Amino acid sequence: MESELSEPTYITLDDNLWGEILEATNGAAGPCFQCGVCTATCPWGIVREEDFTVRTLLRRAQIGSLEKVESLWLCTACAQCEASCPRGVPIAEVIRGLRYLLWKRRHVLPDLPTTLWSLYWNNNPWGQPPSQRTQWMGDLEVPLFDADRHEILLYIGCTPSFDRRAQNIARSLVKVLKASGVSFGILGEGEPCCGESALDLGHRPYFEELANKAVAVFYQNQVKKIVTISPHCYDVMQNEYPDDAEFEVHHYTQYLASLLQNNLLSFQNPLNHKVTYQDPCFLGRRNNEYDAPREVINSVPGISLLEMDRSGPETLCCGGGGGRMWMETPIGERFSDVRVREAASTSAEILVTSCPFCITCFEDSIKAESLNGLKVLDVAELAALALEELT
Amino acid sequence: MVASLFDPSEENKAIWVLLESAGVELTDVSFELLAKGRELADEVDWPLAGVLIGDRLEHLNSQVLSHQADEVLLLEHPLLEAFTVDAYTQALYAAIMERIPSVILFGATPNSRDIAGRLAVRLRTGLNADCIDLRMDKDRGVLISDVTGFGGGVVALLEMPDHRPQLATVRPGVFHSLEASAPRSDKVRRAKVELDQSVIRTRIIEQVKGEGVSIGQAPVLVCGGRGISGNFEMLTELAELLGGDVGATRPPVDEGYIERERQVGQTGVICHPEIAINCGISGAFHFVVGIQDAEIIISINSDPNAPIFEFSDYCVVGDVEQILPALIQSLKEERVVTHA
Amino acid sequence: MPDLHMAVCMKVVPKPEEIRVDPETRTLLREGARSEINPPDMNALEMALSIKDEAGGRISLISMGPPFVEEYLRVGLAMGADDAYLLTDRAFAGADTLATTYTLAQCLHKIGDVEVVLLGEESSDGATGQVPPGLAEWMDYPLITLLRSLEIDKEQNVLRGRRNVDGGYEILEVPLPAVISVATAANEPRFMDFERKGWAFEDTQVTMWDAQDLSAESQFIGIPGSPTIVTGLEQAASQERKNIFLDGGASEIADQLVKILRSN
């Protein structure tokens, strides 16, 4: 077991590697003064005796060493550490940068190259045929986006396009948007992958290529306003796409909240349930959006929202971020197992969230933990159930 | 136009099937070849020869004849004792040039595919690969082959009217074999085999029988999920009866019932079996991506609303603990019947 | 000792699910279908690249196809191959495996010093697996198919490959030069090296050779060089899942399942 105290006393420094790391991480590790709050707050500490030593990784980045950095594949990019870092180090960014150096050295975990190849050949990370990108619609009719007729582009994203469970989120959201009367379209088979999984896996150059392609498609379609289903797509479009991009991006919970505020949407069908809400890291901590999803939930008549101890900025990650959706996590180390127990302990009947990755992880964990009384729903699914005369 | 070494006017109207053996018995695909070869031979009223290649193979003659070949053609030589593509191709080539048969069928097995591929070029003829059906055009004496392409999405009919011999490899398991019955003849002929060690360029360093897990290539995959409560013995028995292998979803792997190498799906192995049998699996998408290319998917689950059924051709709502033993029993009984 | 020169043959294939048969004309509708590098050929390239990683050497990519294939060869260059040859000529069209293997062999003769030729075990469109043995025959090279791993011994001038057979495995050795085919999914192809990408996609040239460049005899290429003719084409039965629910007690269901298993 490697503790932080058993650091080697001597280390051979390599100026070239130091320069390379400095460039890959944008020098972001510089301000770190090794207080260790990052390691202490990292959720891996909940599931592992041996901590994921974030502090050590930062130190290695500072001095220019790639020894023993394999643990950086553990990072779920949940940003818990960043929230508590007194020096404001963008730690997840440093880790992404270090991951790219492992890509360059081809020291990556198995199956990760296959994920990138799937983005390349299939335009999605799931290895699914690109021609089936609209399969999620079932018998719903959704028009292709037309800038003259549509106010918003509903960006479905890969997981809700292909994952059978997540497809229901997309269908539910379409029903809610239709009920509000807002004009919207989709890009159908031509919808580009946002590239988030490439970035999260640390391959920034490929992400940039994908982002540029996506932006070109949005421009070509004269898109001015994008509403995404996944907070992961939202995060990269909002924070990583070129600054001069001429479209605004909203997560759908934000968009629904604004529809509710403007009385363009209302829920008539009471749902008399106790629910709790999981703040997805990529919406909450990474984008500071805690209110919009709660506004939507609280607009549903009959709902009572119970908060978990860890919520808002303290939310516990489901484990699916940081590219962990494409890696295996051993039993006993899955954050989502812990999280569904926490949800159940609030006596909520429904665990609501607003991220397809959270949904996937929680659905698995509810079975693993035999929490048969707990259901997992996306905010969009809850909203669709709350529409009047839902058939 | 490219010309084959001999043309249709020179051919001997005969059908050959190249047989393979494992120990004292012909392989399953060899029996299938004999049955299909018999059917084709009867369509055109030509003789069917079962071709045995190796060393000291006479003990197989009776199996070939009782499966209705008109004759056995033996290619024997000490240098043919172990398979090498060089020696086998050379020996067959010589026999073909001596006897110029019209049609030769091979099993689409690794070794026979290699021989057939080399022979086709050496003879400057065509080769219809991995056929799923065959018939003879009686008037023209032309073999017509059904092959699939594009992952099974397209079926094409192929023929080579102007080239001889007409070569085809046949996908194992597609044709039914015949029961052994009274031989039509007792004719055994030997082809002249002249081989020199120098033609053999392959050296066998090591051969190890049966070990290692590689579920990605299994033709039949029997997968178990949470719903089988760790009872993989049952699944293993079924897989063995079907010539397949066993895979699993994540929960049984997590619980230590089965090794991680057998986990199927997005973070496990992506498999391409002909048949996938899912036992007690609900159908989470990250599992489904590992079997969705299967030609046939059969699923057994006690929950009629399990998502796995949406991905299945044949759906059984029921208890795996009851269905599988019954299935194993039926397969064993059937086995007794066919091998009687 | 000169660097080991390997060649990897690559085929660009349409994505299988995007191919349709025109029910009227009975021809393939490839229009608009997305293409990809035949996945087993990616395994062949990865095997060559891992040899290059360890022992050095040079990798040439060879493909036969229409001009658009050039972009796909550049993908292989970005992965780590050193040069690429595209055999493109209208006269090559309609080739079956006899004509294809002849054309590839002419290219190998013209390149001259290739010691190891690697191919995927089969293509996802035709799935014949005939190209590796056919090419070995035209070249009069030894052949090992379905390899899962490969080692090259330049001192002894041999290669040794391991293949899985009948649930076990065997290790075979042949002298160089040789042709090998690589088993599907034998390895995980590396992603493109983005440091090479600019060079691969913009700076370097893909060598384009036509029939004349290859000194190919017209009787051996394209349609004249292909003994096999396609006389019919049909869309296979729908790939949609049947969703048939079986009824009855355990033994009745078992009997139905046996029938289903035996008819497939």
Side-chain angles (χ1 to χ4, degrees):
Chain A
M1 179 169 142
E2 188 215 0
S3 89
E4 298 207 17
L5 296 173
S6 66
E7 283 281 279
T9 317
Y10 301 101
I11 191 160
T12 311
L13 294 181
D14 174 339
D15 281 348
N16 292 332
L17 179 58
W18 180 79
E20 198 187 358
I21 292 176
L22 193 69
E23 196 191 330
T25 59
N26 225 350
C32 168
F33 56 24
Q34 291 287 292
C35 69
V37 167
C38 45
T39 302
T41 52
C42 177
W44 281 100
I46 301 170
V47 294
R48 280 189 157 199
E49 287 205 14
E50 182 187 345
D51 286 348
F52 169 30
T53 57
V54 185
R55 184 187 70 89
T56 314
L57 280 178
L58 290 169
R59 186 69 187 135
R60 289 185 199 281
Q62 287 177 329
I63 61 175
S65 161
L66 280 178
E67 278 175 55
K68 296 184 184 166
V69 296
E70 294 74 14
S71 64
L72 56 79
W73 295 109
L74 293 173
C75 176
T76 65
C78 76
Q80 178 72 267
C81 52
E82 291 181 10
S84 32
C85 176
R87 302 285 286 166
V89 175
I91 300 170
E93 267 319 294
V94 173
I95 290 178
R96 280 176 176 168
L98 294 174
R99 282 184 177 183
Y100 184 59
L101 297 184
L102 296 197
W103 276 105
K104 290 214 295 192
R105 287 160 176 72
R106 296 204 309 105
H107 286 163
V108 299
L109 299 183
D111 298 339
L112 299 187
T114 301
T115 305
L116 295 193
W117 279 122
S118 178
L119 293 175
Y120 193 79
W121 299 121
N122 302 320
N123 185 43
N124 70 73
W126 286 101
Q128 296 299 296
S131 53
Q132 290 174 14
R133 201 171 177 96
T134 55
Q135 205 190 36
W136 62 272
M137 289 200 284
D139 48 14
L140 279 179
E141 280 178 29
V142 190
L144 284 180
F145 180 79
D146 174 347
D148 294 332
R149 297 197 294 131
H150 297 136
E151 188 196 336
I152 63 167
L153 168 70
L154 177 59
Y155 179 83
I156 306 298
C158 300
T159 302
S161 292
F162 295 103
D163 179 311
R164 295 304 190 277
R165 174 65 189 84
Q167 286 176 349
N168 196 52
I169 307 171
R171 285 195 296 269
S172 300
L173 184 56
V174 163
K175 287 174 195 164
V176 176
L177 290 175
K178 282 189 171 178
S180 76
V182 65
S183 63
F184 67 99
I186 57 170
L187 291 173
E189 217 180 293
E191 181 182 274
C193 169
C194 70
E196 194 266 349
S197 24
L199 183 64
D200 246 2
L201 290 173
H203 209 305
R204 182 171 283 278
Y206 185 41
F207 163 73
E208 283 170 359
E209 195 178 296
L210 291 168
N212 288 335
K213 271 191 202 159
V215 168
V217 174
F218 296 148
Y219 282 0
Q220 197 192 336
N221 285 279
Q222 298 173 295
V223 174
K224 293 277 179 277
K225 194 188 261 192
I226 298 176
V227 172
T228 75
I229 293 177
S230 170
H232 290 260
C233 309
Y234 169 71
D235 181 62
V236 290
M237 289 187 192
Q238 182 75 349
N239 304 316
E240 304 286 349
Y241 276 27
D243 288 337
D244 55 356
E246 290 167 4
F247 46 80
E248 36 178 291
V249 186
H250 303 268
H251 185 251
Y252 82 88
T253 54
Q254 298 170 325
Y255 190 71
L256 294 188
S258 73
L259 290 177
L260 288 162
Q261 281 158 15
N262 295 317
N263 296 318
L264 291 168
L265 178 66
S266 65
F267 300 120
Q268 307 296 333
N269 191 28
L271 298 174
N272 295 313
H273 291 294
K274 288 184 282 185
V275 306
T276 188
Y277 177 69
Q278 157 79 4
D279 286 284
C281 308
F282 277 63
L283 188 61
R285 263 192 304 267
R286 294 181 71 102
N287 286 289
N288 212 28
E289 183 57 82
Y290 304 103
D291 297 337
R294 287 181 173 77
E295 281 168 34
V296 179
I297 294 169
N298 285 322
S299 304
V300 175
I303 283 276
S304 106
L305 174 60
L306 308 167
E307 295 288 356
M308 290 179 271
D309 284 345
R310 283 187 255 233
S311 74
E314 297 301 318
T315 187
L316 174 61
C317 173
C318 73
R324 296 291 307 174
M325 282 304 284
W326 322 112
M327 305 174 214
E328 189 54 62
T329 306
I331 188 147
E333 298 190 359
R334 295 173 194 154
F335 303 169
S336 51
D337 288 358
V338 177
R339 193 56 164 168
V340 294
R341 288 197 300 268
E342 292 182 355
S345 72
T346 64
S347 81
E349 303 145 82
I350 304 173
L351 168 55
V352 184
T353 184
S354 50
C355 171
F357 288 171
C358 293
I359 295 265
T360 306
C361 294
F362 292 153
E363 289 284 5
D364 269 7
S365 290
I366 276 183
K367 284 187 205 153
E369 299 288 319
S370 305
L371 294 170
N372 302 325
L374 189 66
K375 246 184 110 155
V376 181
L377 285 181
D378 190 273
V379 170
E381 295 173 316
L382 190 79
L385 290 172
L387 291 173
E388 202 181 22
E389 307 236 2
L390 183 84
T391 46
Chain B
M1 191 172 72
V2 62
S4 48
L5 298 194
F6 56 91
D7 71 35
S9 66
E10 302 167 275
E11 72 178 5
N12 269 319
K13 297 195 182 306
I15 296 174
W16 288 11
V17 289
L18 181 70
L19 306 173
E20 293 179 69
S21 59
V24 295
E25 200 163 346
L26 295 176
T27 58
D28 289 348
V29 68
S30 300
F31 289 117
E32 293 157 20
L33 283 169
L34 281 164
K36 192 65 190 179
R38 182 71 262 155
E39 190 185 313
L40 297 178
D42 289 343
E43 282 174 28
V44 284
D45 205 15
W46 295 356
L48 171 70
V51 181
L52 288 169
I53 178 165
D55 192 27
R56 285 163 301 181
L57 296 170
E58 280 178 324
H59 61 283
L60 296 168
N61 290 349
S62 62
Q63 288 178 47
V64 179
L65 293 168
S66 67
H67 284 82
Q68 306 304 307
D70 294 297
E71 64 175 14
V72 178
L73 181 62
L74 271 175
L75 280 67
E76 290 183 318
H77 193 282
L79 288 176
L80 296 173
E81 188 183 354
F83 171 83
T84 60
V85 67
D86 293 325
Y88 275 47
T89 304
Q90 176 64 36
L92 264 170
Y93 173 77
I96 292 165
M97 291 310 289
E98 188 187 344
R99 289 157 200 269
I100 48 179
S102 178
V103 173
I104 310 175
L105 308 182
F106 306 77
T109 61
N111 289 347
S112 287
R113 268 162 57 134
D114 290 355
I115 304 172
R118 290 202 89 119
L119 274 178
V121 169
R122 202 170 295 186
L123 294 158
R124 304 284 190 267
T125 188
L127 166 51
N128 299 335
D130 210 24
C131 301
I132 54 165
D133 204 2
L134 298 166
R135 66 195 145 274
M136 293 297 296
D137 179 321
K138 190 170 182 185
D139 298 336
R140 298 182 297 148
V142 167
L143 176 74
I144 301 169
S145 308
D146 287 18
V147 300
T148 61
F150 302 101
V154 173
V155 179
L157 301 182
L158 302 179
E159 57 180 72
M160 52 197 107
D162 304 316
H163 294 74
R164 294 295 182 273
Q166 306 173 78
L167 306 183
T169 65
V170 167
R171 187 181 298 179
V174 171
F175 300 123
H176 296 279
S177 44
L178 292 173
E179 304 300 317
S181 54
R184 306 160 70 96
S185 86
D186 57 2
K187 196 158 144 196
V188 177
R189 292 200 287 175
R190 282 174 195 278
K192 193 165 72 178
V193 180
E194 285 174 351
L195 281 176
D196 184 273
Q197 181 70 47
S198 66
V199 304
I200 300 175
R201 291 170 286 190
T202 312
R203 199 159 73 87
I204 299 166
I205 308 282
E206 190 183 350
Q207 276 179 325
V208 174
K209 298 280 173 221
E211 60 178 58
V213 175
S214 140
I215 58 170
Q217 312 294 317
V220 178
L221 193 64
V222 184
C223 294
R226 200 190 304 273
I228 65 157
S229 315
N231 190 351
F232 278 94
E233 291 85 13
M234 200 164 63
L235 271 65
T236 306
E237 188 176 3
L238 176 61
E240 278 170 6
L241 282 167
L242 296 169
D245 213 334
V246 172
T249 63
R250 193 166 70 167
V253 174
D254 286 344
E255 291 178 27
Y257 290 120
I258 192 161
E259 56 269 49
R260 177 76 55 194
E261 289 72 28
R262 294 189 185 273
Q263 185 178 325
V264 174
Q266 182 80 30
T267 55
V269 185
I270 306 287
C271 304
H272 310 274
E274 285 155 36
I275 301 176
I277 304 177
N278 303 309
C279 307
I281 292 173
S282 62
F285 186 62
H286 49 78
F287 165 76
V288 170
V289 298
I291 48 130
Q292 64 182 10
D293 283 349
E295 285 164 36
I296 303 282
I297 298 181
I298 299 170
S299 297
I300 307 167
N301 196 301
S302 53
D303 175 6
N305 297 318
I308 193 72
F309 290 136
E310 190 194 324
F311 301 95
S312 305
D313 295 293
Y314 300 98
C315 313
V316 178
V317 180
D319 183 355
V320 174
E321 302 275 346
Q322 289 174 1
I323 306 289
L324 281 198
L327 176 57
I328 289 167
Q329 182 69 21
S330 300
L331 285 168
K332 281 182 177 165
E333 283 166 9
E334 187 219 37
R335 203 156 233 243
V336 173
V337 173
T338 49
H339 285 252
Chain C
M1 206 178 302
D3 272 357
L4 179 73
H5 191 178
M6 294 174 277
V8 178
C9 299
M10 272 190 168
K11 184 176 187 182
V12 173
V13 293
K15 288 179 84 61
E17 70 277 1
E18 305 208 352
I19 286 295
R20 294 282 170 274
V21 175
D22 185 324
E24 299 288 310
T25 61
R26 296 289 171 99
T27 51
L28 284 181
L29 297 170
R30 288 173 189 247
E31 203 77 0
R34 296 175 185 83
S35 295
E36 61 187 358
I37 296 173
N38 179 44
D41 298 348
M42 295 284 272
N43 297 117
L45 175 55
E46 176 57 39
M47 194 174 274
L49 288 168
S50 57
I51 297 278
K52 183 181 159 182
D53 289 342
E54 275 173 36
R58 198 152 63 84
I59 300 172
S60 299
L61 302 173
I62 304 173
S63 188
M64 182 177 91
F68 80 85
V69 167
E70 183 183 339
E71 287 304 296
Y72 294 80
L73 286 169
R74 293 184 185 279
V75 171
L77 292 170
M79 288 168 72
D82 299 277
D83 43 33
Y85 299 86
L86 177 56
L87 316 180
T88 190
D89 193 318
R90 282 175 191 279
F92 295 149
D96 73 1
T97 37
L98 186 65
T100 301
T101 50
Y102 169 79
T103 310
L104 292 173
Q106 289 300 109
C107 176
L108 287 171
H109 285 306
K110 187 171 165 92
I111 296 174
D113 60 350
V114 172
E115 292 152 284
V116 185
V117 187
L118 301 94
L119 306 91
E121 68 168 270
E122 62 182 26
S123 64
S124 62
D125 56 349
T128 70
Q130 284 171 238
V131 171
L135 182 57
E137 186 64 25
W138 282 109
M139 301 303 293
D140 193 21
Y141 287 174
L143 165 75
I144 318 179
T145 52
L146 298 167
L147 291 197
R148 302 198 72 84
S149 65
L150 172 66
E151 96 189 42
I152 289 172
D153 185 339
K154 276 284 271 180
E155 301 277 327
Q156 306 283 325
N157 206 39
V158 296
L159 69 79
R160 275 179 288 274
R162 173 175 163 146
R163 70 202 294 245
N164 290 2
V165 276
D166 303 328
Y169 69 88
E170 60 188 15
I171 296 175
L172 304 176
E173 179 185 278
V174 292
L176 302 179
V179 172
I180 65 159
S181 84
V182 177
T184 303
N187 50 39
E188 182 179 28
R190 68 193 61 190
F191 196 58
M192 287 177 277
D193 176 352
F194 271 57
E195 316 263 291
R196 287 177 78 89
K197 219 174 160 237
W199 167 80
F201 278 82
E202 281 151 36
D203 303 343
T204 194
Q205 293 283 316
V206 168
T207 305
M208 306 284 207
W209 280 343
D210 62 15
Q212 200 179 348
D213 294 323
L214 295 182
S215 314
E217 288 182 49
S218 59
Q219 60 157 331
F220 287 127
I221 59 172
I223 291 169
S226 302
T228 315
I229 57 175
V230 179
T231 56
L233 214 50
E234 276 173 51
Q235 189 89 42
S238 163
Q239 305 260 53
E240 298 270 299
R241 294 295 168 193
K242 296 191 182 81
N243 303 131
I244 298 172
F245 281 80
L246 306 182
D247 289 323
S251 63
E252 290 156 328
I253 285 176
D255 290 342
Q256 295 175 60
L257 287 176
V258 170
K259 281 200 192 98
I260 291 162
L261 292 169
R262 287 306 168 213
S263 60
N264 287 291

